[in-house]
């Protein structure tokens, strides 16, 4: 599929909805993923990845490569966007492609996620 078509389709989707509706749909998708036991283990990685990018973006977490940021943001966007290889409304199969994409991304960024989690533990122990 052509990237421009995907982006135009998503832009059209978003422009027809209020921002709070887009957020609600994303939250609904994440909530549904958390309720599927096979995907429950991914939720920790999703949260950690989101926090890692947020902390790196604000300058709190140093040294995160742009490639890792792009990989994680792309994966989280794939989860949140309504455009998938297999649409989410198809039972089970619609979520398996999301899980497969995220599992691959988390394998690729496993070392960085481990460093980030250690950093978070250190700052929590320091009382920050």
């Amino acid at each position: 599929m052509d990237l421009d078509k995907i982006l135009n389709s998503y832009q059209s989707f978003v422009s027809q909805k209020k921002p709070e509706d887009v957020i609600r749909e994303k939250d609904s998708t994440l909530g549904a993923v958390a309720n599927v036991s096979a995907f429950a283990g991914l939720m920790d990685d999703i949260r950690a990845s989101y926090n890692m990018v947020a902390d790196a973006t604000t300058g709190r977490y140093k040294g995160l490569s742009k490639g890792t940021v792009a990989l994680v943001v792309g994966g989280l966007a794939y989860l949140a966007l309504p455009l998938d290889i297999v649409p989410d409304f198809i039972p089970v199969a619609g979520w398996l492609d999301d899980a497969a994409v995220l599992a691959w991304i988390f394998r690729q960024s496993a070392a960085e996620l481990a460093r980030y989690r250690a950093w978070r533990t250190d700052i929590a122990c320091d009382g920050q």
Side-chain angles (χ1 to χ4, degrees):
M1 185 172 246
D2 182 18
L3 181 59
D4 288 332
K5 286 182 183 179
I6 293 171
L7 293 175
N8 289 337
S9 177
Y10 180 67
Q11 183 178 19
S12 174
F13 167 78
V14 171
S15 68
Q16 296 171 10
K17 297 195 177 266
K18 297 177 184 172
E20 58 269 21
D21 293 337
V22 173
I23 292 168
R24 188 173 19 265
E25 287 181 26
K26 177 205 56 104
D27 290 344
S28 172
T29 299
L30 288 176
V33 168
N35 290 329
V36 176
S37 62
F39 301 150
L42 290 176
M43 290 309 293
D44 286 338
D45 286 338
I46 291 169
R47 285 185 190 98
S49 295
Y50 177 85
N51 290 334
M52 179 176 66
V53 170
D55 284 340
T57 301
T58 60
R60 289 187 59 194
Y61 181 64
K62 307 284 188 213
L64 185 63
S65 73
K66 289 180 183 180
T68 300
V69 171
L71 186 65
V72 170
V73 168
L76 296 176
Y78 184 80
L79 178 67
L81 293 174
L83 300 169
D84 282 0
I85 295 169
V86 179
D88 289 341
F89 65 82
I90 298 173
V92 182
W95 298 45
L96 287 176
D97 73 311
D98 290 352
V101 167
L102 290 175
W104 180 81
I105 286 169
F106 296 144
R107 273 194 310 275
Q108 299 301 311
S109 59
E112 188 61 54
L113 275 171
R115 278 191 295 277
Y116 175 74
R117 285 180 168 125
W119 175 81
R120 289 284 292 214
T121 300
D122 288 346
I123 65 165
C125 290
D126 291 341
Q128 291 185 359

